[in-house]
Amino acid sequence: MTMEEKTKRYEYMNMTSTNDELDMRRLVLIGRSECGKTTLKQVLRGEKITYVKTQYVSQYDVLIDMPGEYAENLDLAHAIDCYTAEADLVALCLSATEPYSLYPPNVAPYAHRDIVGVVTKIDHWAADPEQAVRWLELCGCKKIFLVSAYSGEGIDELIDYLKIKHEKKSIGDIMQEVNTEKFGKLSEYPGYYLV
């Protein structure tokens, strides 16, 4: 596969403007500094991969990139809750090269959102993805993605998971369904006349 094909294949699509039948859930990326959140964001958006230290909460159309300090510092951790309220899905990012897990056991129910685990840097020479998966399972993540921002491995599965398929109907079809639906009541309103 050529580099152009890879770029085209993993190109981020703004589903809300390019295709009316598809949409994406809003995702917030949470994790320790240098775990690969911003690089993953760059791949999902189709940007050139460059090292950029996230200094502030970066909000994009369907992505929210949190600085690692928010997860590492208890004084900043309350802000994570504010931004998870704006998201449909929370991604706990953990590098496959981590010597420890930043997340406590059973932290998933506190997000009040669906939580997925994302193991990054799986193609690194010092990676231990199985250990990272066990740590994320301990956190309560039911769905875990193994991704590499550089090789593109696992990116398609993550994008497919973020997509929401909608059934496209015309307003006439919707109104027809509403008019024929009884909702447990009379289908026709009785005629009342003033005498």
Side-chain angles (χ1 to χ4, degrees), residues 186 188-195:
L186 295 172
E188 293 182 18
Y189 295 107
Y192 292 101
Y193 300 100
L194 295 174
V195 183

Side-chain angles (χ1 to χ4, degrees), residues 32 34-35 94-100 119-129 131-132 135:
R32 185 178 86 72
E34 299 180 8
C35 75
L94 188 64
S95 171
T97 61
E98 296 287 343
Y100 63 91
V119 178
T120 60
K121 302 181 184 180
I122 61 170
D123 56 349
H124 192 277
W125 64 269
D128 186 2
Q131 178 65 51
W135 282 334

Side-chain angles (χ1 to χ4, degrees), residues 115-177:
I115 293 189
V116 296
V118 178
V119 178
T120 60
K121 302 181 184 180
I122 61 170
D123 56 349
H124 192 277
W125 64 269
D128 186 2
E130 291 81 21
Q131 178 65 51
V133 167
R134 286 193 298 271
W135 282 334
L136 289 172
E137 286 172 346
L138 187 62
C139 293
C141 296
K142 302 288 186 238
K143 184 79 174 159
I144 299 173
F145 297 94
L146 298 159
V147 300
S148 169
Y150 289 97
S151 70
E153 186 178 348
I155 299 295
D156 283 341
E157 291 84 11
L158 180 58
I159 290 175
D160 287 341
Y161 187 76
L162 294 175
K163 289 179 185 177
I164 303 172
K165 295 184 180 177
H166 298 284
E167 185 179 342
K168 191 173 181 180
K169 292 184 176 182
S170 69
I171 190 69
D173 292 341
I174 294 171
M175 291 308 296
Q176 180 65 28
E177 287 180 15

